[in-house]
Amino acid sequence: MKCKRCGERAEIQLRSHNAAFCRSCFVLYFQRQVERAIHKQRMFTPQDRVLVAVSGGKDSLALWDVLLTLGYQTEGVYLALGIGDYSDQSRHKAEAFARQRGASLRVVELSEDAVAVPVAAQFTNRVPCAACGMMKRHFFDRAALEGGFSVLATGHNLDDEAARLLGNVLHWQTDYLARQTPVLEPSHPKFVRKVRPLYRLGELESAAYAFFRGIDYVIDECPNSVGATQLHYKDTLNRLEATMPGTKLNFVQEFLRSAQPAFAAANDSPPQTCTECGMPSFTPVCAFCRLLQEVKRKQQRSAA
């Protein structure tokens, strides 16, 4: 098997693209795919300050590496979720990555600024992933606003986008379908533009890029993700992809081209401002503040 670009021995095969690459050509291919997504979707320009949400995993660190290589103005933000050894390892990877590249990394401690994910899940009987996702959105939005950034970039890849789309379609979550796009323009003065430059690149490609570039990332899955619905969707899509390469990419691309604009046009209700924290919200008190109120109320009841 030879590299499609230079003819040397290939080290990775991409069945969805009917192509194979050697190490150096794959790294170039990956970086060009990210650059193409940024330009085609008008995500940001070299003049924008981009806040990159990093978890210590392969996708977010690969994205940050590409943006640094391409010369964009970036800073990282890491949320310490309080999930035991997993959070300790993730933070160590993120901090080591930033230190090795001389990049700036902001760290937010949920246990100090709000409440750790396991505590929130324990006192509210919520699925940990639901509480985690809600707090991530709140603190990423707040970090971007307080830091004066114009763009917030996340490492969601093609597998994430395809699984999210499948879940939204199965349950006809039209509000979510309206907002499923690689570029989400701000709908409130306290929002910044949110972008997903890896939306056309799969998990295999992110992992290969991180390996070829020598990026040390946390390999273990979050212990709270065991049994998560999203993993069932990914498993289903992986089986389709194995028999029909390119299924995930076609699923997401055709949705963005043919269906997403219709859902977006029907969704014209801008968010309000939360009366508690002042951040955007679709209800008088945002979901994050309601979560904290519930945890505090039940902690007080438990201590009584």
Side-chain angles (χ1 to χ4, degrees):
M1 188 170 57
K2 293 185 177 180
C3 174
K4 176 182 180 181
R5 185 168 178 270
C6 72
E8 295 295 320
R9 185 177 68 84
E11 293 190 53
I12 181 170
Q13 181 181 19
L14 302 179
R15 293 182 63 209
S16 59
H17 295 281
N18 192 28
F21 295 98
C22 68
R23 181 172 301 212
S24 60
C25 288
F26 175 77
V27 168
L28 185 62
Y29 155 83
F30 190 94
Q31 293 172 347
R32 284 183 173 175
Q33 286 291 311
V34 175
E35 193 170 23
R36 178 183 171 192
I38 293 169
H39 290 165
K40 183 179 179 182
Q41 298 292 337
R42 299 180 180 178
M43 293 182 176
F44 49 85
T45 69
Q47 286 69 47
D48 283 305
R49 291 180 64 237
V50 182
L51 183 64
V52 185
V54 295
S55 65
K58 62 184 185 311
D59 301 301
S60 57
L61 294 184
L63 171 61
W64 200 7
D65 182 81
V66 173
L67 298 184
L68 288 169
T69 301
L70 296 176
Y72 287 104
Q73 302 178 62
T74 64
E75 194 169 313
V77 58
Y78 172 82
L79 297 188
L81 303 171
I83 309 176
D85 291 342
Y86 175 77
S87 286
D88 293 341
Q89 290 181 29
S90 302
R91 178 172 179 167
H92 172 73
K93 304 290 186 187
E95 289 180 333
F97 177 95
R99 188 167 54 249
Q100 290 163 4
R101 289 158 178 78
S104 179
L105 176 68
R106 298 168 177 235
V107 176
V108 179
E109 291 275 4
L110 284 193
S111 59
E112 296 176 1
D113 288 10
V115 61
V117 169
V119 175
Q122 175 191 348
F123 282 95
T124 63
N125 292 324
R126 281 181 170 82
V127 176
C129 291
C132 182
M134 181 193 303
M135 288 197 277
K136 280 181 176 178
R137 287 190 291 275
H138 175 85
F139 280 104
F140 287 154
D141 286 335
R142 205 166 86 177
L145 175 69
E146 292 176 351
F149 294 90
S150 50
V151 179
L152 172 64
T154 59
H156 293 91
N157 59 39
L158 175 63
D159 293 66
D160 298 324
E161 291 302 296
R164 180 182 169 210
L165 177 57
L166 179 59
N168 288 338
V169 169
L170 287 175
H171 299 285
W172 286 117
Q173 302 272 20
T174 55
D175 288 350
Y176 294 158
L177 288 168
R179 294 196 291 271
Q180 181 157 359
T181 169
V183 181
L184 195 58
E185 294 293 347
S187 56
H188 187 282
K190 291 187 175 179
F191 275 152
V192 303
R193 186 183 306 137
K194 298 172 186 174
V195 300
R196 300 182 171 195
L198 302 185
Y199 78 101
R200 297 182 75 254
L201 291 157
E203 286 188 359
L204 170 65
E205 291 160 275
S206 290
Y209 180 83
F211 176 72
F212 290 158
R213 289 282 289 170
I215 297 172
D216 185 18
Y217 62 89
V218 64
I219 296 175
D220 295 337
E221 292 285 343
C222 174
N224 288 335
S225 68
V226 176
T229 306
Q230 196 82 346
L231 296 183
H232 294 298
Y233 296 149
K234 285 188 174 182
D235 182 58
T236 299
L237 288 163
N238 284 339
R239 279 182 274 159
L240 288 171
E241 184 76 22
T243 55
M244 295 180 288
T247 294
K248 295 176 194 174
L249 184 59
N250 189 55
F251 184 39
V252 171
Q253 284 196 152
E254 282 306 305
F255 165 74
L256 293 174
R257 187 180 69 85
S258 305
Q260 196 276 339
F263 288 106
N267 182 37
D268 58 356
S269 55
Q272 314 166 33
T273 298
C274 173
T275 57
E276 294 293 320
C277 68
M279 292 299 287
S281 171
F282 288 92
T283 54
V285 177
C286 73
F288 170 76
C289 287
R290 293 201 306 273
L291 174 75
L292 291 190
Q293 291 171 350
E294 183 179 354
V295 171
K296 185 177 180 180
R297 189 170 58 251
K298 291 186 176 177
Q299 282 179 322
Q300 291 173 339
R301 191 182 304 162
S302 175

